[in-house]
Amino acid sequence: MFKKGSKLYSIRKFKCPRCHEGDLYKSSLVSMQGIYNMHESCPKCKQDFQKEPGFYWGAMYIGYGLSSGYMLSAMVLCIFVFNFTVNQSFVAAIIGGVLFVPLIARLARAIWINIYVKYNPSAIKD
Ligand SMILES: [Zn+2]
């Protein structure tokens, strides 16, 4: 399921959706060099990551869904597992949410480009 060749591999590893070899982002999240620090094209197969101006606007819908899922999960976890009050749960979920924003934003872009680009291992040219 998470093996090379599946969309989940590309999304989870932030790899190029076409070759699954090149990185989508120039730096890791913890390097603090920007959330959207993407390559313009794949370093391995030259797949264009900026397909058109405003291509990643649609990723906001994915990010909205991911954020909503996170908030709902965090609230349920805080209230029913940790026995926090509703207000304490909101504070904990929002603090956690701020920490997860960069990861959710990158995941949303990776999912979005994986919707439009198919895996093609023969795309790598030497
Ligand atoms: Zn590639």
Side-chain angles (χ1 to χ4, degrees):
M1 190 168 155
F2 293 104
K3 288 182 181 167
K4 196 170 180 182
S6 75
K7 299 246 179 227
L8 289 176
Y9 176 86
S10 166
I11 293 166
R12 188 174 62 95
K13 297 268 190 176
F14 296 126
K15 293 290 184 186
C16 167
R18 187 162 76 161
C19 68
H20 290 189
E21 293 282 333
D23 293 323
L24 273 176
Y25 298 99
K26 293 178 185 171
S27 58
S28 73
L29 266 177
V30 291
S31 68
M32 306 296 270
Q33 293 179 356
I35 296 171
Y36 298 125
N37 195 10
M38 288 184 88
H39 290 284
E40 291 200 6
S41 62
C42 176
K44 301 278 183 175
C45 74
K46 307 299 177 208
Q47 166 67 43
D48 187 12
F49 292 156
Q50 311 291 332
K51 293 171 73 70
E52 61 188 25
F55 175 70
Y56 290 103
W57 277 87
M60 288 193 310
Y61 297 106
I62 307 285
Y64 175 73
L66 291 173
S67 302
S68 301
Y70 160 75
M71 282 300 286
L72 184 66
S73 307
M75 290 297 291
V76 167
L77 193 74
C78 288
I79 291 172
F80 294 109
V81 176
F82 298 120
N83 291 321
F84 287 4
T85 65
V86 172
N87 287 342
Q88 289 171 329
S89 299
F90 266 116
V91 170
I94 288 171
I95 290 170
V98 168
L99 298 174
F100 280 119
V101 160
L103 177 65
I104 287 171
R106 282 192 171 195
L107 274 175
R109 281 187 169 213
I111 291 168
W112 190 250
I113 196 165
N114 266 279
I115 291 171
Y116 294 97
V117 179
K118 288 184 176 170
Y119 178 57
N120 179 8
S122 61
I124 298 178
K125 297 169 187 114
D126 293 316

mmCIF file of all heavy atoms in Angstrom, residues 46-68:
data_model
loop_
_atom_site.group_PDB
_atom_site.id
_atom_site.type_symbol
_atom_site.label_atom_id
_atom_site.label_comp_id
_atom_site.label_asym_id
_atom_site.label_seq_id
_atom_site.Cartn_x
_atom_site.Cartn_y
_atom_site.Cartn_z
ATOM 1 N N LYS A 46 12.248 15.761 -14.546
ATOM 2 C CA LYS A 46 11.845 17.055 -15.104
ATOM 3 C C LYS A 46 10.333 17.270 -15.167
ATOM 4 O O LYS A 46 9.869 18.128 -15.910
ATOM 5 C CB LYS A 46 12.454 17.283 -16.506
ATOM 6 C CG LYS A 46 13.957 17.108 -16.567
ATOM 7 C CD LYS A 46 14.665 18.093 -15.676
ATOM 8 C CE LYS A 46 16.173 17.852 -15.686
ATOM 9 N NZ LYS A 46 16.806 18.255 -14.454
ATOM 10 N N GLN A 47 9.570 16.510 -14.393
ATOM 11 C CA GLN A 47 8.121 16.767 -14.310
ATOM 12 C C GLN A 47 7.909 18.173 -13.764
ATOM 13 O O GLN A 47 8.490 18.537 -12.752
ATOM 14 C CB GLN A 47 7.462 15.729 -13.388
ATOM 15 C CG GLN A 47 6.047 16.053 -12.935
ATOM 16 C CD GLN A 47 5.048 16.036 -14.080
ATOM 17 O OE1 GLN A 47 5.085 15.156 -14.918
ATOM 18 N NE2 GLN A 47 4.167 17.031 -14.126
ATOM 19 N N ASP A 48 7.093 18.966 -14.442
ATOM 20 C CA ASP A 48 6.815 20.331 -14.010
ATOM 21 C C ASP A 48 5.922 20.302 -12.767
ATOM 22 O O ASP A 48 4.827 19.757 -12.804
ATOM 23 C CB ASP A 48 6.122 21.085 -15.144
ATOM 24 C CG ASP A 48 5.943 22.555 -14.830
ATOM 25 O OD1 ASP A 48 6.545 23.034 -13.850
ATOM 26 O OD2 ASP A 48 5.214 23.222 -15.581
ATOM 27 N N PHE A 49 6.393 20.886 -11.658
ATOM 28 C CA PHE A 49 5.589 20.936 -10.432
ATOM 29 C C PHE A 49 4.714 22.186 -10.367
ATOM 30 O O PHE A 49 3.844 22.295 -9.523
ATOM 31 C CB PHE A 49 6.479 20.898 -9.186
ATOM 32 C CG PHE A 49 7.186 19.588 -8.969
ATOM 33 C CD1 PHE A 49 8.351 19.542 -8.220
ATOM 34 C CD2 PHE A 49 6.695 18.407 -9.488
ATOM 35 C CE1 PHE A 49 9.007 18.348 -8.009
ATOM 36 C CE2 PHE A 49 7.337 17.203 -9.281
ATOM 37 C CZ PHE A 49 8.501 17.170 -8.542
ATOM 38 N N GLN A 50 4.969 23.156 -11.239
ATOM 39 C CA GLN A 50 4.151 24.377 -11.303
ATOM 40 C C GLN A 50 3.368 24.315 -12.609
ATOM 41 O O GLN A 50 3.612 25.088 -13.520
ATOM 42 C CB GLN A 50 5.037 25.624 -11.256
ATOM 43 C CG GLN A 50 6.075 25.624 -10.157
ATOM 44 C CD GLN A 50 5.458 25.744 -8.785
ATOM 45 O OE1 GLN A 50 4.394 26.316 -8.602
ATOM 46 N NE2 GLN A 50 6.137 25.175 -7.783
ATOM 47 N N LYS A 51 2.433 23.411 -12.703
ATOM 48 C CA LYS A 51 1.771 23.112 -13.964
ATOM 49 C C LYS A 51 1.148 24.332 -14.623
ATOM 50 O O LYS A 51 1.121 24.442 -15.843
ATOM 51 C CB LYS A 51 0.708 22.038 -13.753
ATOM 52 C CG LYS A 51 1.308 20.688 -13.379
ATOM 53 C CD LYS A 51 0.261 19.687 -12.958
ATOM 54 C CE LYS A 51 -0.557 19.164 -14.086
ATOM 55 N NZ LYS A 51 0.155 18.281 -14.998
ATOM 56 N N GLU A 52 0.618 25.243 -13.834
ATOM 57 C CA GLU A 52 0.037 26.488 -14.351
ATOM 58 C C GLU A 52 -0.018 27.482 -13.203
ATOM 59 O O GLU A 52 0.056 27.079 -12.037
ATOM 60 C CB GLU A 52 -1.354 26.235 -14.932
ATOM 61 C CG GLU A 52 -2.333 25.699 -13.905
ATOM 62 C CD GLU A 52 -3.651 25.258 -14.513
ATOM 63 O OE1 GLU A 52 -3.666 24.911 -15.699
ATOM 64 O OE2 GLU A 52 -4.637 25.267 -13.787
ATOM 65 N N PRO A 53 -0.133 28.780 -13.503
ATOM 66 C CA PRO A 53 -0.237 29.746 -12.402
ATOM 67 C C PRO A 53 -1.449 29.445 -11.533
ATOM 68 O O PRO A 53 -2.533 29.180 -12.040
ATOM 69 C CB PRO A 53 -0.413 31.095 -13.124
ATOM 70 C CG PRO A 53 0.135 30.883 -14.481
ATOM 71 C CD PRO A 53 -0.104 29.439 -14.813
ATOM 72 N N GLY A 54 -1.243 29.459 -10.236
ATOM 73 C CA GLY A 54 -2.340 29.195 -9.306
ATOM 74 C C GLY A 54 -2.720 27.732 -9.212
ATOM 75 O O GLY A 54 -3.791 27.414 -8.699
ATOM 76 N N PHE A 55 -1.859 26.850 -9.677
ATOM 77 C CA PHE A 55 -2.185 25.409 -9.664
ATOM 78 C C PHE A 55 -2.522 24.924 -8.268
ATOM 79 O O PHE A 55 -3.442 24.116 -8.089
ATOM 80 C CB PHE A 55 -1.007 24.612 -10.234
ATOM 81 C CG PHE A 55 -1.194 23.122 -10.148
ATOM 82 C CD1 PHE A 55 -2.123 22.472 -10.939
ATOM 83 C CD2 PHE A 55 -0.448 22.362 -9.264
ATOM 84 C CE1 PHE A 55 -2.312 21.100 -10.855
ATOM 85 C CE2 PHE A 55 -0.619 20.988 -9.175
ATOM 86 C CZ PHE A 55 -1.555 20.368 -9.972
ATOM 87 N N TYR A 56 -1.819 25.403 -7.275
ATOM 88 C CA TYR A 56 -1.994 24.882 -5.915
ATOM 89 C C TYR A 56 -3.129 25.544 -5.129
ATOM 90 O O TYR A 56 -3.298 25.264 -3.954
ATOM 91 C CB TYR A 56 -0.682 24.948 -5.146
ATOM 92 C CG TYR A 56 0.321 23.951 -5.688
ATOM 93 C CD1 TYR A 56 1.368 24.353 -6.497
ATOM 94 C CD2 TYR A 56 0.178 22.604 -5.424
ATOM 95 C CE1 TYR A 56 2.258 23.438 -7.024
ATOM 96 C CE2 TYR A 56 1.048 21.675 -5.942
ATOM 97 C CZ TYR A 56 2.095 22.106 -6.739
ATOM 98 O OH TYR A 56 2.962 21.183 -7.271
ATOM 99 N N TRP A 57 -3.904 26.414 -5.773
ATOM 100 C CA TRP A 57 -5.076 26.974 -5.081
ATOM 101 C C TRP A 57 -6.021 25.854 -4.674
ATOM 102 O O TRP A 57 -6.629 25.889 -3.614
ATOM 103 C CB TRP A 57 -5.822 27.965 -5.992
ATOM 104 C CG TRP A 57 -5.225 29.325 -5.971
ATOM 105 C CD1 TRP A 57 -4.206 29.779 -6.758
ATOM 106 C CD2 TRP A 57 -5.584 30.405 -5.113
ATOM 107 N NE1 TRP A 57 -3.923 31.084 -6.438
ATOM 108 C CE2 TRP A 57 -4.753 31.488 -5.436
ATOM 109 C CE3 TRP A 57 -6.531 30.555 -4.101
ATOM 110 C CZ2 TRP A 57 -4.831 32.702 -4.780
ATOM 111 C CZ3 TRP A 57 -6.612 31.782 -3.451
ATOM 112 C CH2 TRP A 57 -5.761 32.828 -3.797
ATOM 113 N N GLY A 58 -6.143 24.869 -5.538
ATOM 114 C CA GLY A 58 -7.041 23.743 -5.230
ATOM 115 C C GLY A 58 -6.590 22.944 -4.030
ATOM 116 O O GLY A 58 -7.404 22.276 -3.388
ATOM 117 N N ALA A 59 -5.284 22.999 -3.720
ATOM 118 C CA ALA A 59 -4.768 22.260 -2.561
ATOM 119 C C ALA A 59 -5.338 22.813 -1.260
ATOM 120 O O ALA A 59 -5.313 22.124 -0.240
ATOM 121 C CB ALA A 59 -3.245 22.312 -2.538
ATOM 122 N N MET A 60 -5.858 24.048 -1.310
ATOM 123 C CA MET A 60 -6.463 24.608 -0.094
ATOM 124 C C MET A 60 -7.671 23.790 0.344
ATOM 125 O O MET A 60 -7.933 23.665 1.530
ATOM 126 C CB MET A 60 -6.886 26.064 -0.323
ATOM 127 C CG MET A 60 -5.715 27.008 -0.401
ATOM 128 S SD MET A 60 -6.191 28.732 -0.307
ATOM 129 C CE MET A 60 -7.485 28.851 -1.502
ATOM 130 N N TYR A 61 -8.407 23.236 -0.629
ATOM 131 C CA TYR A 61 -9.565 22.409 -0.264
ATOM 132 C C TYR A 61 -9.095 21.141 0.439
ATOM 133 O O TYR A 61 -9.713 20.677 1.397
ATOM 134 C CB TYR A 61 -10.388 22.054 -1.503
ATOM 135 C CG TYR A 61 -10.975 23.255 -2.171
ATOM 136 C CD1 TYR A 61 -10.461 23.726 -3.370
ATOM 137 C CD2 TYR A 61 -12.037 23.936 -1.585
ATOM 138 C CE1 TYR A 61 -10.989 24.844 -3.984
ATOM 139 C CE2 TYR A 61 -12.569 25.060 -2.184
ATOM 140 C CZ TYR A 61 -12.041 25.511 -3.385
ATOM 141 O OH TYR A 61 -12.550 26.613 -3.980
ATOM 142 N N ILE A 62 -7.998 20.576 -0.048
ATOM 143 C CA ILE A 62 -7.432 19.387 0.588
ATOM 144 C C ILE A 62 -6.964 19.755 2.001
ATOM 145 O O ILE A 62 -7.211 19.029 2.965
ATOM 146 C CB ILE A 62 -6.244 18.835 -0.230
ATOM 147 C CG1 ILE A 62 -6.624 18.603 -1.688
ATOM 148 C CG2 ILE A 62 -5.667 17.585 0.437
ATOM 149 C CD1 ILE A 62 -7.467 17.417 -1.960
ATOM 150 N N GLY A 63 -6.272 20.892 2.117
ATOM 151 C CA GLY A 63 -5.782 21.350 3.414
ATOM 152 C C GLY A 63 -6.917 21.602 4.399
ATOM 153 O O GLY A 63 -6.804 21.287 5.592
ATOM 154 N N TYR A 64 -8.024 22.146 3.875
ATOM 155 C CA TYR A 64 -9.196 22.384 4.729
ATOM 156 C C TYR A 64 -9.711 21.061 5.283
ATOM 157 O O TYR A 64 -10.009 20.942 6.482
ATOM 158 C CB TYR A 64 -10.280 23.105 3.929
ATOM 159 C CG TYR A 64 -11.572 23.281 4.678
ATOM 160 C CD1 TYR A 64 -11.668 24.205 5.717
ATOM 161 C CD2 TYR A 64 -12.686 22.519 4.374
ATOM 162 C CE1 TYR A 64 -12.842 24.362 6.422
ATOM 163 C CE2 TYR A 64 -13.859 22.675 5.059
ATOM 164 C CZ TYR A 64 -13.945 23.596 6.083
ATOM 165 O OH TYR A 64 -15.106 23.729 6.782
ATOM 166 N N GLY A 65 -9.808 20.070 4.424
ATOM 167 C CA GLY A 65 -10.277 18.752 4.860
ATOM 168 C C GLY A 65 -9.338 18.129 5.881
ATOM 169 O O GLY A 65 -9.786 17.580 6.893
ATOM 170 N N LEU A 66 -8.039 18.214 5.611
ATOM 171 C CA LEU A 66 -7.056 17.646 6.540
ATOM 172 C C LEU A 66 -7.102 18.365 7.892
ATOM 173 O O LEU A 66 -7.048 17.736 8.948
ATOM 174 C CB LEU A 66 -5.646 17.735 5.952
ATOM 175 C CG LEU A 66 -5.342 16.854 4.748
ATOM 176 C CD1 LEU A 66 -3.966 17.180 4.189
ATOM 177 C CD2 LEU A 66 -5.424 15.388 5.114
ATOM 178 N N SER A 67 -7.211 19.697 7.851
ATOM 179 C CA SER A 67 -7.259 20.478 9.096
ATOM 180 C C SER A 67 -8.511 20.161 9.893
ATOM 181 O O SER A 67 -8.464 20.031 11.119
ATOM 182 C CB SER A 67 -7.233 21.978 8.791
ATOM 183 O OG SER A 67 -6.088 22.311 8.063
ATOM 184 N N SER A 68 -9.629 20.040 9.192
ATOM 185 C CA SER A 68 -10.887 19.712 9.871
ATOM 186 C C SER A 68 -10.794 18.338 10.517
ATOM 187 O O SER A 68 -11.234 18.144 11.658
ATOM 188 C CB SER A 68 -12.054 19.727 8.881
ATOM 189 O OG SER A 68 -12.171 20.986 8.288
#
